[in-house]
Amino acid sequence: MGTDIRGGVDQQWLTRLRTTLTSEFEAQTVRLTELTADTGDPGEAHTRAAMIAATRQSLGQIGDALRRIAEGGYGTCERCRTPIPPERLEVLPHARFCVPCQQKQG
C-alpha cells in the first residue's frame, strides 16, 4: 500500500479498500441472513449463536471502517490522532488505533 507525501492514505488504495470492504459487508450480511434462518435443530443453537455474534461484530467493524473512509478519518488513530502505519491497515483494515494505543486500550 502506498502513502502520499503528507503521510496519509493513498487515494487509489483507499478506493480499492472501500470496494473490498463493501463487498465483504455484503457477503457478511448474506451470511448473517443465512445464520439467522431457523434450522429447527436445537443441537446447533449454541454454535449458530456464536457464529451470529461473530458475524455481527465483523459487520460492525467493516461498517465503522467504511464510515471513517466516508468521513475522511480512516487511517488515523482515534486515540492519539497519528497516522496508523500502512502495514497495520493492510493486515487489519478496520483498525481504529495504532499499535501502542491498541495495547493501552486493552
Side-chain angles (χ1 to χ4, degrees), residues 50-68:
M51 291 188 325
I52 288 170
T55 302
R56 284 185 176 147
Q57 180 180 11
S58 179
L59 279 168
Q61 290 171 333
I62 294 167
D64 288 346
L66 288 168
R67 178 188 47 78
R68 288 191 305 277

Side-chain angles (χ1 to χ4, degrees), residues 20-37:
T20 300
L21 287 173
T22 300
S23 295
E24 181 62 22
F25 189 88
E26 291 167 0
Q28 291 292 326
T29 300
V30 169
R31 180 170 189 228
L32 183 60
T33 301
E34 292 168 353
L35 287 170
T36 55

